[in-house]
Amino acid sequence: MNPAPNPDHNEGIRRRIFRRRGAALGLATVLLALAGGVGCRPSVPDEFLVLTQTPRAVPAAFSPKDTLDLLYPPGSRIVLVTPGSDGMRATVLSASLHAAGGAVVAPSGDRVLFSGKATPKSEWQIFECPLRRALPVARTAMPGGAMGPIYLPDGRIGFSSPVPLPGHDLSGPGRPELYAQRPGEAKTRRLTFGLAGALEATLLRDGRILFVSGGSAYAAITNQSLFTINSDGTEITAFAAQHDGRVRIRRPRESPEGRVVFLSSDLSAAGLEGRLEQVLAARPFSSREAITATDAARFRAAEPAGDDRILVTAEGFNEGDSFGVYALDPKEHARSAFECIFDDPEWHEVEVAVRPPGSKPMGRLSTVDESMSIGRLLCLDVNHFGDLPRPEGATAKSVRFLSPTPEGAIEWLGEVPVQVDGSFLVEIPANTLLGLETLDEAGRVIRRLPPSFWVRPGENRSCVGCHEPHSSCPENRRPLAVKVPALKVGASPADLAQRPGVTQ
Amino acid sequence: MKRRGMIILAVAVGLGLGGLVVSLNLSPTKRQSLRIYVHDRKQALGLEPSRRDLDHMQRMSGLTDVSNVSCRHCHGIKLAQLPWNQPRRRHPTPGGMVVSPDGAALYVALADLNQVIEIDTITRDLKRRVPVPGQPTGLAIDSAGERLFVTCRDDDVVARITTAGLELTGSAPVGIGPVGVGFAPTRNGDRLIVANTGSGDVSVIDADSMTELTRVKTGRDPYGVTTSPDGRHGLVASRLAELSSTDTAPATELTIIDLERTRAIKRLPLASAHLSESVALNPDRGWVLTPMVRVRNLIPITQVARGWVMSSGIALAQLDGSEPVQMPLDEANAYFADPADLVVHPAGHRAYVASGGGDVVTVIDLDQMFAWVEQASPTDRQRAIHNLELAGDYVVARIPTRRNPTRLALSPDGDTLYVAERLEDSILLIDTRSNTVAGRIELGDGGSSDPVRRGERLFTLAARTFQGQFSCRSCHPDGHVDGLNYDFDGDGIGDNMLDNRSLQGLAGTWPYKWNGQNPSLAVQCGPRFAKVLMRTDPFSEAELKDLVAFIESMPPARARSAHLTELTPAESRGRDIFFATHTPDGREIPRDRQCHHCHAPPLYTSRMKTDVGSRGPTTRIDRLDTPHLLGVGASAPYLHDGRARSLEELWTLYQTNDLHGVSSYMNKHQLNDLVEFLKTL
């Protein structure tokens, strides 16, 4: 949002919107409600907001231990706001917790998940709370804490763990990964395997999990970008912003009409705010654009409202204003007038969540076979470089697989020959971060993909070529590699020589 | 325990009644039915069959272990009782549409009701209707707007109707399964071209005398036709790829016909394209446009994302026959499956594509698209269909429709686009100036109470696959075959390249899959299917019930002209060979090598697994499901891996030691006769 107001804004958005909505008593009602003046609520209405409110003043002695402490200082809370006959009514859902934030609403609209901290000394974990008056229940007990919850289509919840330290660049030890857990079960399943952190997960309408990662921790690429996986951790795929410079990305959310809105800021920026941007879900690589005309980073959160508008949390237009919740039409860009939806001057409304608009996201049956320790990778033509220049005369004759060691070094797992048509089919260790190098006849590296992908047990993964365009379909050609049994990474040269059908 | 007791009691009562009925001197047929019933009950209770039954089953099946054999593998099937032979609910389903030259009337073929109707485009009211037997499907109108021409798909004729009286005034016999029809005023007189889907040709008809002048061979399953305004050219789009080896990329044919000389002048292959069901011409630029599915069947289906299995597009070709260009309709994360029809605005700047699976009409800026094509390098043109970023440059709008938009018609001024929402019994009106919905004509109630209709909606719905990439229909047009092989990764990458099998005439032919492992269609279409192919949530139990109801409602395909009523001499001789127990020189054919032993009437399957020596290099098992033969003449290629391109090749190229029936004694005439008989089934 560009807070530089036009003259109409001089009176302050907050008061104007309350007047427009005929809710002159709204603020008083809110305050009354927050003071405990709200009575028994028989049911949850369809229209409601779930807010994360942070105190306007943080104790000077407070020292954040992790990024959630930074985002949600002590006293931060989750608040349910509903329109009542006498104005907006608010109920604190996290009253029993020391701090809370990052709420998401279940597709059914009757529950929320959020990150919470029970005591000043405890770790952040995922809590769930029915929207009817009830106490939140801890859903996770992850060492190092958990954050960024989502509801998965099959009823499980997903989250990132551990909670990174302040200033963590998402690479190296302590980086967060995505996990899934079925309610009522202690067992968690890891979904990501060390790309360079996995945060800010959200569910796309096609059932995939969209998340933010730091790119490859092994390629000196430190910008954050968006990736997708299926809900079982298969098919790690770049989604957007992989080549867009040093940006930090927060809170991606898909709207029913097919936009993914998110906040971006310079990677080096210290603040928690970001610019408001969007990509089209249909073709995210070629459609990134700013929603507001300014690059001022003043937003803390964005959430599709379900009526073509976006709800954002942003600072008010006047000096000293708190953060509030506003609605804007992304198609209007700079001409858009920001409509204030809710602002309690005693608190910062830093995040807003609503019942997920649109149809329920598509589910998916998992293809993971936990009894296996390997997956397969089929490359159709490793000599296909897409739009990248191909080194003159260089033709890959073999592929070497790489994996990082716990110490951060790169280990060679082995080499496999490439078929004359550039294809190879290989069995690779599952749940392991992998990279590869294509080698010419003399063993010289032609191209190198740093460790940046994995397969799940039993997963069959494919790629078109070496650094193919992200939006490219394959040619309809029967790869020679599928006519022979899959090769095993790490097989000895003697073993490989005895394999049938290797036509190299 | 209580339930088990009830079963035992029921069996006892059954046995008692059976004995009573036997004592009443039952007919042999009824006695057999009773034996089957008793055997079924004993098998259900885990009881051993009688020695006599065991001997019978072992002798007839050729198997020692008959634990998985039931009487119903061979007995108890009556065609008359199968779902596709039962009366079903009929719907006013809009099919082919055409607008009169003055724009006042919209004519719509209602195939299910055997009618053609006339709608007043001003009032949007139904004005008149005329009965047209034989599943009226495609429509064309002459330049003066005086004569309508209707293809009757079941009767293999094209009929003529006067618009003044809406009366049938003549018809002409054509090839098998006519669908598309186009009118062309040539220098030699008014002509019709009719796409005969089943016989793979087009009939050129004299529209005045309604006589067939000639037939021109086209690609497989010709479907969409159009003619150039000057009447010189007829254009034919074919749905199925030409038969080729399983390692070769398929290609469909776009046929350009000189209507004055009545012969094909260009046969343009569309690489890896299929399901082209429409063709349109942009006369000013000389571009021919046909919607298509770009299939990637040679690649193992390790994923669905990024159009790995198929994607949708438009093929552009020049009348001069230069190499066609395929342009994508899909985007990286958004797919618009089953592009069924395409029309070009009279001004030539816009094209409209109906996505039958995606429930969308896509509006294309042709100026932008042609500009891209004209500046693109040959390499970029060749790769365009794989670039899912391109469509954003020329797609102007995506207009949602109700279920299954399949046919389009533009008003003469181009201001109104009529969209047949086939499975909703409605016609959507789109204002092309604003690309907004201008109204809807309701022809019926949509048929939502009909499980067959609900099942077909699911069958054609792409939204049930990941990102809406394809529907069941994408591989089974009309519930039939697409003639391609696919490599599913559920059984290993590169193993078991499998021929697609027809779903027509499938009722009662269990088990399913080439390995015969699925006992029912509900299992076949259940969670495993969702996991391997749809990559989404599986169908619910209620949805599966509807889906099965639809599949079982489809009668077998037809490979024989409707004008033939009795078997020809060749077909009769072939029948004798099929049912032969001895060779012509008197040698006995072993029972398990007699055609009708495994392909037993009335379904022409024993429903058991058989080894016919067809194991291929990537096949893991010898014994495969015995397919039924109803409509077999129309479902090439053959064998589980599709290596036999014709029925003849089953015995000329892929017969092994007479395992697939004894054929070594046959001369070429006898083999031809056998094939002719098979095409009658």
Side-chain angles (χ1 to χ4, degrees), chain A residues 206 208 235 281-284 286 362-366 460 462 468-476 478 482-483, chain B residues 247 272 295-299 302 306 308 331-333 386 388-389 392 463 467 487 489 494 527 531 535-537:
Chain A
D206 61 23
R208 293 180 297 170
E235 290 187 20
R283 44 191 162 90
S286 59
M362 184 56 82
R364 188 181 183 102
L365 293 179
S366 175
N460 293 326
S462 307
E468 77 244 22
H470 295 296
S471 302
S472 174
C473 300
E475 292 277 357
N476 189 26
R478 188 86 174 141
V482 306
K483 297 185 174 182
Chain B
D247 274 357
S272 289
V295 71
R296 299 181 176 88
N297 65 310
L298 299 180
I299 306 170
T302 50
R306 285 174 54 186
W308 204 262
E331 301 178 59
N333 292 313
H386 304 304
L388 298 180
E389 297 285 340
Q467 295 179 336
D487 183 359
D489 75 339
K531 188 171 172 177
R535 312 273 170 151
T536 55
D537 280 331

Side-chain angles (χ1 to χ4, degrees), chain B residues 109-244:
Chain B
L110 306 181
D112 216 23
L113 297 185
N114 287 333
Q115 293 176 357
V116 170
I117 59 172
E118 182 187 49
I119 293 170
D120 185 317
T121 56
I122 305 299
T123 64
R124 299 176 186 174
D125 292 331
L126 194 157
K127 278 177 66 182
R128 295 181 294 176
R129 63 177 77 220
V130 56
V132 181
Q135 201 185 353
T137 303
L139 278 178
I141 195 164
D142 68 9
S143 311
E146 295 171 347
R147 295 171 295 177
L148 274 177
F149 302 95
V150 191
T151 53
C152 301
R153 196 173 185 181
D154 280 353
D155 286 359
D156 297 347
V157 297
V158 58
R160 184 177 60 200
I161 298 170
T162 59
T163 56
L166 214 60
E167 293 172 332
L168 279 169
T169 60
S171 66
V174 292
I176 301 172
V179 172
V181 56
F183 174 85
T186 73
R187 287 187 300 187
N188 301 329
D190 290 347
R191 299 284 182 263
L192 302 175
I193 56 170
V194 178
N196 303 314
T197 57
S199 46
D201 48 33
V202 291
S203 297
V204 181
I205 307 282
D206 182 324
D208 296 322
S209 64
M210 291 301 280
T211 52
E212 186 177 31
L213 301 174
T214 187
R215 282 191 198 176
V216 181
K217 199 70 187 163
T218 64
R220 288 181 76 206
D221 203 6
Y223 204 90
V225 299
T226 194
T227 57
S228 60
D230 60 8
R232 286 181 55 198
H233 295 111
L235 305 161
V236 185
S238 296
R239 288 207 296 187
L240 300 189
E242 298 304 303
L243 293 164
S244 58

Side-chain angles (χ1 to χ4, degrees), chain B residues 193-352:
Chain B
I193 56 170
V194 178
N196 303 314
T197 57
S199 46
D201 48 33
V202 291
S203 297
V204 181
I205 307 282
D206 182 324
D208 296 322
S209 64
M210 291 301 280
T211 52
E212 186 177 31
L213 301 174
T214 187
R215 282 191 198 176
V216 181
K217 199 70 187 163
T218 64
R220 288 181 76 206
D221 203 6
Y223 204 90
V225 299
T226 194
T227 57
S228 60
D230 60 8
R232 286 181 55 198
H233 295 111
L235 305 161
V236 185
S238 296
R239 288 207 296 187
L240 300 189
E242 298 304 303
L243 293 164
S244 58
S245 81
T246 51
D247 274 357
T248 306
T252 49
E253 181 179 302
L254 182 62
T255 314
I256 302 176
I257 296 170
D258 184 322
L259 288 177
E260 289 169 0
R261 291 188 289 165
T262 61
R263 68 187 211 196
I265 53 172
K266 294 284 180 191
R267 296 185 183 278
L268 300 175
L270 304 179
S272 289
H274 76 159
L275 297 189
S276 291
E277 298 184 320
S278 168
V279 60
L281 185 65
N282 187 325
D284 294 342
R285 293 182 168 100
W287 283 103
V288 181
L289 301 90
T290 178
M292 45 155 275
V293 172
R294 177 78 181 202
V295 71
R296 299 181 176 88
N297 65 310
L298 299 180
I299 306 170
I301 303 177
T302 50
Q303 65 181 62
V304 166
R306 285 174 54 186
W308 204 262
V309 182
M310 61 184 76
S311 59
S312 300
I314 299 173
L316 307 176
Q318 287 279 354
L319 279 173
D320 65 10
S322 55
E323 187 173 356
V325 184
Q326 298 177 13
M327 301 294 289
L329 277 175
D330 294 335
E331 301 178 59
N333 292 313
Y335 294 80
F336 305 92
D338 300 337
D341 201 4
L342 183 154
V343 292
V344 174
H345 191 279
H349 302 298
R350 293 275 192 277
Y352 304 87

Side-chain angles (χ1 to χ4, degrees), chain B residues 373-384:
Chain B
V373 171
E374 281 156 11
Q375 61 80 38
S377 69
T379 305
D380 285 344
R381 286 184 174 201
Q382 193 183 14
R383 291 182 180 170

Side-chain angles (χ1 to χ4, degrees), chain A residues 304-360:
Chain A
D307 57 359
D308 289 354
R309 297 184 304 167
I310 302 172
L311 298 177
V312 296
T313 57
E315 274 187 303
F317 292 100
N318 299 313
E319 186 71 26
D321 278 355
S322 65
F323 277 76
V325 181
Y326 299 84
L328 69 107
D329 184 341
K331 293 189 289 293
E332 293 296 322
H333 292 273
R335 292 181 289 108
S336 155
F338 286 75
E339 181 187 11
C340 183
I341 299 297
F342 186 89
D343 189 2
D344 181 347
E346 302 299 316
W347 293 83
H348 288 306
E349 283 78 33
V350 295
E351 290 168 356
V352 57
V354 295
R355 178 179 182 157
S359 55
K360 183 185 166 201

